[in-house]
Amino acid sequence: AQSVTQLGSHVSVSEGALVLLRCNYSSSVPPYLFWYVQYPNQGLQLLLKYTSAATLVKGINGFEAEFKKSETSFHLTKPSAHMSDAAEYFCAVSEKTGGYNKLIFGAGTRLAVHP
Amino acid sequence: GAGVSQTPSNKVTEKGKYVELRCDPISGHTALYWYRQSLGQGPEFLIYFQGTGAADDSGLPNDRFFAVRPEGSVSTLKIQRTERGDSAVYLCASSLKGDTDTQYFGPGTRLTVL
């Protein structure tokens, strides 16, 4: 069965610094991978997804992630943090069975951005 | 256009009571998912609908939980004899079809069982 591990439940960076949120997955088949962001009192919003095309995936708000099969990783990065990036971030793998997308989420990483 | 909406946004109930949580998906989306997010955790899959039928209900924790989507649009998650452990945020998502289509999430219903 698929699973997702997000290293670091809390990450704090300075405004303008590099953001790196780690995600490792376990999957017995080629995975589909996703990053979602959740702002307070809002629903999950898709940042980006990997569906077996290019291994470097660019998303919204300047985020990108690289699929590394050898490391079973899909880390999320952003070159320069902005105060508005403060939110909770979830990595997910798709347990794709029967033609639909059952998402298996990690526990989340809360990103704090300080001046 | 309008996104996924969920009502109520908050629900407080007493242990043993029955509750219904409603999800209005994006118009035209045939796939609908329910997830549950407990405090400090990521969402966990509950059930998937394709059209009117529940194609996968393997995530429902027990037979107190039931969901319907009678006309292939609005869905209702029903919980009988609520327990304190049912307290969580219940999220609904819809997508155009299944497969790799992006799931669009609603804001969730926060259920508190006293």
Side-chain angles (χ1 to χ4, degrees):
Chain A
Q2 281 90 340
S3 66
V4 173
T5 301
Q6 291 184 243
L7 297 175
S9 58
H10 290 81
V11 171
S12 182
V13 301
S14 299
E15 190 173 20
L18 171 71
V19 175
L20 171 60
L21 304 182
R22 299 178 186 275
C23 172
N24 288 87
Y25 68 90
S26 170
S27 177
S28 57
V29 298
Y32 292 162
L33 294 159
F34 305 79
W35 275 100
Y36 280 85
V37 61
Q38 187 174 37
Y39 298 101
N41 300 315
Q42 294 187 28
L44 294 162
Q45 180 182 5
L46 181 69
L47 278 176
L48 49 80
K49 63 181 180 182
Y50 167 78
T51 56
S52 73
T55 57
L56 182 61
V57 182
K58 294 188 183 299
I60 62 172
N61 302 338
F63 285 94
E64 63 182 37
E66 186 172 8
F67 171 67
K68 292 187 176 181
K69 183 179 179 180
S70 60
E71 299 177 7
T72 61
S73 69
F74 190 58
H75 301 330
L76 182 71
T77 60
K78 181 174 180 178
S80 176
H82 192 272
M83 297 294 288
S84 62
D85 293 327
E88 186 140 27
Y89 292 79
F90 293 94
C91 181
V93 63
S94 169
E95 188 174 292
K96 188 172 177 301
T97 55
Y100 62 97
N101 228 357
K102 179 192 292 188
L103 296 178
I104 309 299
F105 286 88
T109 296
R110 186 168 297 279
L111 176 66
V113 182
H114 52 85
Chain B
V4 178
S5 62
Q6 294 186 244
T7 54
S9 56
N10 280 282
K11 176 71 177 178
V12 180
T13 190
E14 294 179 344
K15 180 175 178 294
K17 299 291 188 183
Y18 168 83
V19 296
E20 289 189 352
L21 311 178
R22 176 186 168 108
C23 172
D24 280 83
I26 293 172
S27 178
H29 281 194
T30 62
L32 186 146
Y33 303 78
W34 283 98
Y35 294 84
R36 178 168 73 173
Q37 187 175 16
S38 300
L39 194 63
Q41 298 182 24
E44 294 178 298
F45 171 83
L46 294 177
I47 188 169
Y48 161 70
F49 287 90
Q50 180 55 248
T52 61
D56 183 349
D57 65 358
S58 62
L60 294 178
N62 51 59
D63 62 5
R64 296 187 297 105
F65 289 74
F66 189 72
V68 295
R69 195 186 185 198
E71 297 178 356
S73 177
V74 170
S75 176
T76 305
L77 179 65
K78 308 180 181 193
I79 311 174
Q80 298 177 322
R81 305 182 305 280
T82 51
E83 299 178 356
R84 293 193 179 88
D86 299 335
S87 296
V89 176
Y90 289 82
L91 298 168
C92 176
S94 71
S95 67
L96 192 59
K97 306 187 297 295
D99 203 57
T100 59
D101 287 348
T102 296
Q103 292 183 32
Y104 295 89
F105 282 80
T109 293
R110 182 176 298 277
L111 175 66
T112 302
V113 182
L114 301 177

